[in-house]
Amino acid sequence: VHVIKQALQASNVFVFGELLELESVIELSKNPDYAEHKKWYDLLCIFAHGTLHDYNERKDLPQLGAKELYKLKELTVLSMAADHRGLSYDVLL
């Protein structure tokens, strides 16, 4: 969990797929002994493949600090830009 927190807080880390492949991180999602930590795995999945909307839909995830929230907003805009040829202000809201 500590490694996930560090990655989410690091201002220069924007790729999270490699973390999702680590055996210790995979264990968080599968092992019932770590059930209380699965929320961190789910949060990492959102940073790797999701959007701010996905995060807001999940009330059970850890609360994001200002840095993490800003980073997720940046990643969301990048995801939207990849999916749309042009981004209007309305789409961003």
Side-chain angles (χ1 to χ4, degrees), residues 10-50:
S11 60
N12 59 344
V13 176
F14 287 92
V15 178
F16 302 97
E18 290 85 3
L19 279 177
L20 288 170
E21 295 174 4
L22 293 175
E23 189 61 38
S24 58
V25 173
I26 293 169
E27 277 294 305
L28 293 177
S29 71
K30 294 182 176 181
N31 191 331
D33 294 336
Y34 302 122
E36 76 272 8
H37 299 302
K38 186 178 181 306
K39 62 186 175 187
W40 289 99
Y41 176 85
D42 293 343
L43 182 60
L44 181 61
C45 288
I46 287 177
F47 271 76
H49 307 293

Side-chain angles (χ1 to χ4, degrees), residues 3-90:
V3 172
I4 293 173
K5 289 179 183 180
Q6 283 184 320
L8 298 181
Q9 293 173 350
S11 60
N12 59 344
V13 176
F14 287 92
V15 178
F16 302 97
E18 290 85 3
L19 279 177
L20 288 170
E21 295 174 4
L22 293 175
E23 189 61 38
S24 58
V25 173
I26 293 169
E27 277 294 305
L28 293 177
S29 71
K30 294 182 176 181
N31 191 331
D33 294 336
Y34 302 122
E36 76 272 8
H37 299 302
K38 186 178 181 306
K39 62 186 175 187
W40 289 99
Y41 176 85
D42 293 343
L43 182 60
L44 181 61
C45 288
I46 287 177
F47 271 76
H49 307 293
T51 64
L52 181 61
H53 176 75
D54 299 326
Y55 172 76
N56 288 333
E57 291 289 310
R58 297 276 312 269
K59 303 301 180 198
D60 61 321
L61 296 175
Q63 182 118 19
L64 296 179
K67 282 183 181 180
E68 296 89 357
L69 184 58
Y70 185 77
K71 182 187 283 191
L72 187 54
K73 287 178 181 180
E74 290 178 311
L75 291 167
T76 298
V77 170
L78 290 173
S79 292
M80 293 171 76
D83 294 340
H84 297 85
R85 190 159 191 251
L87 286 177
S88 67
Y89 189 71
D90 291 339

